[in-house]
Amino acid sequence: GEMSLFSVVRLGCRSLCRLQSNLVLPRTMATSPDAKRPAWNREEDLADLFGKGWAMVEGRDAIKKIFNFGDFNAAFGFMTRVALKADQMNHHPEWFNVYNRVEVTLSTHDVGGLSPKDVKLAQFMEKC
């Protein structure tokens, strides 16, 4: 039978997506600009994401990944789940969707490059 959008949104993307990307080595460790938060280990966090198919964007301090899903509904469901989380975080991805493919780029414009927010949103995308 047909699936409602609600059903699609509730589905996890792990079983629906094939992942593509090029492995790129991480840059240096960065510290948090917020003294109340501990420094984040950029190298370690990015290495974990690179192992899951994320890559650096050429010419930018940003990461990217291409997600492929079984169909448009699965891709749209993924985007809906991510949009809800991104809005909650007040941190929104750059993305592009055609049918079953979602291309995602993450960078924090306020700091001019990658931040812990990007890592957190990427980690959410891996679990949703």
Side-chain angles (χ1 to χ4, degrees):
E2 291 185 16
M3 294 181 71
S4 69
L5 178 58
F6 182 74
S7 297
V8 171
V9 171
R10 290 185 54 199
L11 288 175
C13 69
R14 267 196 199 280
S15 62
L16 299 173
C17 59
R18 290 185 327 246
L19 310 174
Q20 297 178 358
S21 196
N22 296 322
L23 180 63
V24 176
L25 294 175
R27 295 188 186 182
T28 61
M29 182 185 297
T31 57
S32 172
D34 183 352
K36 296 175 187 174
R37 293 183 183 178
W40 65 292
N41 188 330
R42 175 185 169 118
E43 192 170 318
E44 185 177 309
D45 289 342
L46 291 179
D48 179 58
L49 291 173
F50 294 152
K52 296 175 180 168
W54 290 84
M56 294 300 298
V57 174
E58 190 174 335
R60 285 181 68 187
D61 190 27
I63 54 175
K64 65 180 179 179
K65 183 168 181 175
I66 298 170
F67 294 87
N68 288 295
F69 299 89
D71 57 24
F72 176 75
N73 283 337
F76 191 83
F78 168 80
M79 292 180 76
T80 301
R81 291 186 299 277
V82 172
L84 293 171
K85 179 66 170 179
D87 215 36
Q88 180 185 52
M89 292 175 63
N90 193 28
H91 187 62
H92 304 91
E94 298 171 26
W95 54 13
F96 179 74
N97 164 245
V98 175
Y99 186 61
N100 67 335
R101 180 180 169 115
V102 180
E103 298 177 29
V104 178
T105 300
L106 297 175
S107 185
T108 304
H109 299 285
D110 293 347
V111 299
L114 289 170
S115 78
K117 287 183 175 185
D118 302 302
V119 170
K120 183 176 180 180
L121 190 54
Q123 289 169 340
F124 176 82
M125 290 180 189
E126 289 300 319
K127 295 176 185 173
C128 77

